[in-house]
Amino acid sequence: MRLFFIPICLLLTVTLPAQNSKEFTRVNEFYIHGNTQVIGNNNVSKHKNKAIDDKKGLNDETKMKYVDIDNNTATYNSSSANLTIPEDATLRYAALYWTATYPTKKGTKVAKGNRYVYKANGDPTEDIQEIQLKVPGAGYIPIRGDLVYDGKQGTVKGITSSRPYTCYKDITDIIKNNQTINGSYNVANIAATQGYISGGSSAGWMLYVIYERDQDPLQYITTYNGFNHIDKKGVAIDFGNFKSPEKTETKTAVTISALEGDLTLKKDQIAIYYPEEKKFVTLDNDVRASSNFFNSSITIDNTYFTDRVPNSKNTLGFDIAKITIPNEINKSIATSNNGFKLQFKTRADRYYVYFAAFQTTLSETFYEEIVANTAVKTEEKEEEVTSLEEIVTTPTSTPKELEINIETPVIKEEISIQEKQEEVQVIQKEKTETIDDTLVAIIDKKPTKVPDVLRGYYIISNVFSSKTNADRWAAKLKNKDIQSTIFKRPENNFYYVSIGNNEDPVLLYEVLKKMRKDQDLKDAWIFKINIQ
């Protein structure tokens, strides 16, 4: 990969009117031993089912037709791509996006002098949020997506003439419930314009997958969506919340998807901030030039992704790119506290970016800090728990102050803290008259209903979205001679690791304060369950 430096002043973060853009926001983030995969395809092209590799001509000079490969009368366009992840991997997240231009049902063009005039023929009638999805070994099912952006209300020329839109659907559960993950995925009925429109019609879909695998490196992975009309002023995304390992090789990659990138129009770029040189660097590789990054193709690093039908090299206005960041920049990122900045610009070819994902190998030390800082601190914060995908801290010795014989809560049988602890008994009597505000809030908090858990107050040491990770945390506690019990709350499907319970909140609160002297338990909190 070659590096090209460009002045910082050329790339500015710009705020467009709400009708013409949607601010990029984080969808999710993972700290996980695993990796990502991306597939997708275009659903309008020059031909119904043949691959298009021709690299000549402009998109708006091409009469677009629906791609339709499935010979199914229930679909008016369709394309497919094959997903392959390791057999021993566990799917953690799958996001399906579809995007297109849809100002009219069909468009025509008429030559007037030395220019063309584009005309609309028929109002767009299809529901842009409705598509059809076929997962491996199954038939089509309807999918209704969340609307990320609809250019119908746009006010600038590029938006009004093409009416771009983007929709999104989390299909993790759909794939998990299927018999197989690997195989062919078909996406059909993406509403788009056939014929001619200014800038050229385009349409496509993308499936972005995050999976967990123990032997893969620890990574920080985050996804963003939004919608930005890229012009000369440029747009930026700032990825944060990570710190790369400084003493080992850092691997960093970004995945981008965009609409309307024209193969023959140049001067569109992606640039990343190079902390060591304090400059922005444009990206390129063997299949994407630094001066024409968005070139109507689907690529993974230096190769075209061709495991799809049709497998056109020219996807006519639809782009997906997964690209690895050069090692020299990775080293600079690893020693920087500025995170990772990605910027887009163009001098000629307009395009619309709607998806960006970032992944990098993660510092173990930084991850330990993340674990500590994101643990639930009070019951009031309980609804804001985010999933942490691995626990990697090293067990530490238990302070003597924590050597209190508390009994472990169980699901079917209530066990209280042993009353023989004289110090705790004295505290129980004294504190009934001097309850602090935190304890008052715990007592006044509305109880949470959890099936098959006996009523009472529970000390929660940590919360996880994965049972495997909850078990690992419990094993870590056991190594410190702290017994625990895990229960699942159906309302949010999180696993709670409890290290003590009692119906007396005053007694339990004093035990909690002592337990918090342990660094691993400093964010433990009390959960009020099934108390009327």
Side-chain angles (χ1 to χ4, degrees):
M1 177 179 288
R2 298 169 293 280
L3 304 182
F4 299 86
F5 293 99
I6 53 179
I8 294 177
C9 60
L10 292 180
L11 291 169
L12 305 173
T13 301
V14 63
T15 301
L16 297 172
Q19 305 98 312
N20 301 313
S21 69
K22 172 70 178 299
E23 181 181 1
F24 266 74
T25 56
R26 180 183 287 122
V27 178
N28 52 28
E29 56 184 351
F30 292 80
Y31 303 88
I32 189 173
H33 285 274
N35 210 332
T36 68
Q37 183 61 279
V38 63
I39 64 171
N41 216 337
N42 59 316
N43 278 42
V44 297
S45 186
K46 288 182 180 180
H47 194 275
K48 178 179 179 180
N49 51 31
K50 290 183 179 180
I52 304 299
D53 296 336
D54 182 10
K55 298 182 179 181
K56 298 179 180 179
L58 299 174
N59 289 353
D60 52 5
E61 295 175 351
T62 302
K63 185 177 182 180
M64 298 296 182
K65 301 176 181 179
Y66 282 142
V67 173
D68 200 7
I69 66 165
D70 60 11
N71 296 317
N72 188 325
T73 57
T75 65
Y76 55 85
N77 66 42
S78 60
S79 66
S80 70
N82 290 330
L83 175 67
T84 303
I85 65 173
E87 292 293 338
D88 58 346
T90 300
L91 180 71
R92 296 307 307 274
Y93 177 68
L96 179 64
Y97 286 83
W98 58 97
T99 185
T101 52
Y102 194 40
T104 181
K105 206 168 187 65
K106 290 188 177 182
T108 58
K109 66 176 182 177
V110 178
K112 286 193 175 182
N114 60 353
R115 66 188 182 91
Y116 285 106
V117 175
Y118 296 89
K119 294 185 177 181
N121 292 277
D123 293 332
T125 57
E126 303 295 342
D127 188 343
I128 62 175
Q129 292 179 250
E130 292 279 352
I131 62 163
Q132 295 286 319
L133 170 67
K134 183 162 66 171
V135 299
Y140 278 112
I141 58 172
I143 298 291
R144 182 165 185 81
D146 300 323
L147 186 64
V148 177
Y149 175 80
D150 184 1
K152 189 175 184 180
Q153 305 302 321
T155 59
V156 299
K157 184 178 180 180
I159 299 291
T160 58
S161 62
S162 59
R163 192 209 170 180
Y165 73 86
T166 297
C167 296
Y168 152 81
K169 182 68 174 180
D170 183 338
I171 62 169
T172 308
D173 289 340
I174 293 174
I175 296 178
K176 281 185 175 181
N177 292 334
N178 194 40
Q179 291 183 352
T180 180
I181 295 176
N182 289 336
S184 178
Y185 288 76
N186 285 44
V187 175
N189 293 0
I190 298 176
T193 296
Q194 296 190 88
Y196 301 95
I197 63 172
S198 177
S201 185
S202 53
W205 60 273
M206 179 195 71
L207 176 61
Y208 185 81
V209 166
I210 299 173
Y211 62 84
E212 185 174 18
R213 189 166 175 254
D214 289 341
Q215 55 265 54
D216 285 342
L218 178 63
Q219 294 202 64
Y220 169 69
I221 304 171
T222 184
T223 68
Y224 282 71
N225 69 28
F227 195 91
N228 269 302
H229 177 196
I230 309 300
D231 56 18
K232 296 178 182 179
K233 295 180 180 179
V235 170
I237 301 176
D238 193 346
F239 299 95
N241 292 356
F242 75 94
K243 185 72 168 64
S244 298
E246 299 180 15
K247 297 182 180 180
T248 59
E249 182 181 358
T250 299
K251 295 182 180 180
T252 302
V254 294
T255 302
I256 308 293
S257 191
L259 189 67
E260 276 268 48
D262 209 305
L263 175 60
T264 58
L265 289 178
K266 302 183 184 299
K267 299 183 180 180
D268 51 71
Q269 302 173 334
I270 284 184
I272 61 175
Y273 186 65
Y274 192 0
E276 185 173 310
E277 298 291 338
K278 297 183 179 179
K279 295 180 180 180
F280 283 96
V281 180
T282 57
L283 294 178
D284 80 332
N285 59 20
D286 293 347
V287 289
R288 293 183 181 271
S290 63
S291 60
N292 188 23
F293 190 88
F294 293 99
N295 59 9
S296 294
S297 64
I298 300 175
T299 63
I300 297 178
D301 287 326
N302 291 308
T303 62
Y304 291 98
F305 172 67
T306 58
D307 196 8
R308 52 194 173 90
V309 181
N311 59 354
S312 303
K313 289 185 178 179
N314 184 355
T315 46
L316 294 161
F318 180 67
D319 275 274
I320 301 174
K322 184 176 182 181
I323 185 168
T324 301
I325 305 304
N327 285 335
E328 51 266 49
I329 301 179
N330 281 334
K331 293 176 182 177
S332 183
I333 292 172
T335 57
S336 170
N337 292 319
N338 296 323
F340 182 88
K341 299 175 184 178
L342 185 65
Q343 300 206 38
F344 308 87
K345 67 168 297 184
T346 184
R347 294 184 182 178
D349 185 19
R350 75 176 184 220
Y351 61 96
Y352 312 111
V353 176
Y354 67 87
F355 175 85
F358 169 83
Q359 64 185 88
T360 187
T361 47
L362 189 66
S363 163
E364 298 279 348
T365 301
F366 181 76
Y367 181 66
E368 292 173 6
E369 295 174 2
I370 290 293
V371 171
N373 292 336
T374 58
V376 183
K377 296 182 179 180
T378 64
E379 188 176 354
E380 287 76 12
K381 296 289 185 180
E382 190 273 329
E383 298 296 339
E384 300 174 6
V385 175
T386 56
S387 61
L388 296 176
E389 308 310 327
E390 291 287 347
I391 294 299
V392 296
T393 53
T394 303
T396 58
S397 60
T398 306
K400 291 183 178 179
E401 299 95 312
L402 296 185
E403 294 177 358
I404 301 173
N405 292 327
I406 64 171
E407 297 181 354
T408 304
V410 296
I411 304 302
K412 299 294 185 178
E413 179 182 359
E414 181 176 15
I415 303 176
S416 64
I417 297 175
Q418 296 182 11
E419 296 180 357
K420 67 179 181 180
Q421 300 299 324
E422 296 179 1
E423 180 183 0
V424 176
Q425 289 177 342
V426 172
I427 291 173
Q428 179 185 11
K429 295 177 181 179
E430 293 178 351
K431 289 297 181 178
T432 53
E433 297 180 358
T434 58
I435 299 176
D436 64 28
D437 293 340
T438 301
L439 181 53
V440 170
I442 292 171
I443 295 172
D444 290 343
K445 179 74 174 179
K446 183 180 178 181
T448 298
K449 293 182 179 180
V450 181
D452 299 323
V453 176
L454 291 172
R455 71 177 189 176
Y457 294 86
Y458 290 75
I459 296 178
I460 304 299
S461 64
N462 223 324
V463 181
F464 300 88
S465 64
S466 164
K467 179 64 162 58
T468 299
N469 294 333
D471 288 337
R472 288 173 180 165
W473 178 252
K476 172 184 170 66
L477 295 176
K478 186 176 181 179
N479 287 336
K480 303 173 69 170
D481 294 325
I482 300 175
Q483 298 302 312
S484 62
T485 295
I486 300 170
F487 61 84
K488 182 179 181 180
R489 181 182 171 193
E491 185 177 338
N492 57 15
N493 288 323
F494 287 161
Y495 295 89
Y496 293 69
V497 184
S498 171
I499 54 176
N501 77 301
N502 196 273
E503 288 194 20
D504 188 337
V506 179
L507 175 64
L508 199 67
Y509 184 57
E510 293 304 320
V511 175
L512 173 67
K513 290 194 289 186
K514 287 184 174 293
M515 285 193 161
R516 282 178 172 172
K517 294 178 182 180
D518 185 324
Q519 182 65 23
D520 287 334
L521 300 174
K522 65 184 181 66
D523 293 318
W525 51 287
I526 292 179
F527 195 10
K528 185 178 181 181
I529 298 177
N530 297 337
I531 295 179
Q532 302 301 321

